[in-house]
């Protein structure tokens, strides 16, 4: 099976420029996910197997430097390029201080832009492999919980970052996959709440989010009146 084309997260609030850069990337065979705000970018970053991020600095909600810092907390090795009209030396240095792999000032020749994207990808760390035995907990249906990288691995090559609570939830279910785990137990073990707390909506919200992240591949059963189990 040939390797899948790299998926690029393109964050640019100017619709015309976003289309220009997106179309140029697609002509080179890349897949592109587009965002115009910080929040849109975070959602795509957390739910798509992004291989490289291209970030504008001037966004309508938060700036691109904040987005870069957020990304670096989650994925240290993800290649990131800053693409911005802020071309001062201090802005460039700030980008590198936040963890950017390259800093491109606009306007930029589209050929130069594409060349620098390819260069950053060429020098990027190899994509994480399937979790090896000892650090991967099978969850069924081709899903593996990667305990080292705190990710959900989906066959054949998709890696989905997990929040700490999502990770703890799946870890607890995978300890005894045939057992039904009660909502009270989950509240205590995962949410650190009182077992008799009436607020169990947080569990349903988390389960829905995990199903959505995995495109339905992750099978979590809600046994009415009893609790949750895998399968």
């Amino acid at each position: 099976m040939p390797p899948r084309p790299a998926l690029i997260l393109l964050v640019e609030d100017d619709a015309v420029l976003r289309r220009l850069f997106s179309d140029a990337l697609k002509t080179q065979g890349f897949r592109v996910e587009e965002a115009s705000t910080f929040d849109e970018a975070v959602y795509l970053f957390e739910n798509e197997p992004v291989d490289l991020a291209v970030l504008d600095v001037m966004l309508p909600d938060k700036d691109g430097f904040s987005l870069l810092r957020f990304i670096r907390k989650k994925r240290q090795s993800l290649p990131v390029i800053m693409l911005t009209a802020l071309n001062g030396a201090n802005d460039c240095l700030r980008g590198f201080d936040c963890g950017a792999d390259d800093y491109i000032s606009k306007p930029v020749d589209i050929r130069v832009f594409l060349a620098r994207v390819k260069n950053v990808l060429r020098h990027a760390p190899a994509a994480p492999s399937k979790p090896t035995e000892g650090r991967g907990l099978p969850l069924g249906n081709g899903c593996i919980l990667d305990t080292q990288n705190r990710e959900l691995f989906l066959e054949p090559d998709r890696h989905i970052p997990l929040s700490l609570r999502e990770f703890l939830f799946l870890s607890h279910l995978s300890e005894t996959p045939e057992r039904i785990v009660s909502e009270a137990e989950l509240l205590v073990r995962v949410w650190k709440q009182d077992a008799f707390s009436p607020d169990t909506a947080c569990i349903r919200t988390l389960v829905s989010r995990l199903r959505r992240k995995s495109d339905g591949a992750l099978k979590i059963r809600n046994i009415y009146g009893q609790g949750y189990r895998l399968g």
Side-chain angles (χ1 to χ4, degrees), residues 30-56:
F30 296 115
R31 297 177 299 144
V32 181
E33 289 286 352
E34 301 178 22
S36 61
T37 68
F38 179 96
D39 288 341
E40 288 177 3
V42 167
Y43 177 81
L44 290 170
F45 168 73
E46 292 186 328
N47 289 279
E48 299 295 337
V50 175
D51 298 300
L52 179 145
V54 178
L55 312 180
D56 187 15

Side-chain angles (χ1 to χ4, degrees), residues 119-175:
N119 182 64
V120 169
L121 282 172
R122 188 161 52 245
H123 293 92
S129 59
K130 178 178 179 178
T132 57
E133 186 174 354
R135 70 176 179 92
L137 300 175
L139 304 176
N141 199 35
C143 301
I144 299 174
L145 183 63
D146 186 337
T147 57
Q148 178 174 308
N149 296 311
R150 207 174 81 188
E151 293 180 332
L152 177 63
F153 175 81
L154 305 183
E155 298 280 7
D157 63 356
R158 185 177 176 191
H159 297 258
I160 303 173
L162 299 172
S163 69
L164 178 58
R165 194 152 284 159
E166 290 168 345
F167 177 77
L168 292 174
F169 176 83
L170 291 175
S171 296
H172 193 55
L173 290 188
S174 66
E175 289 176 2

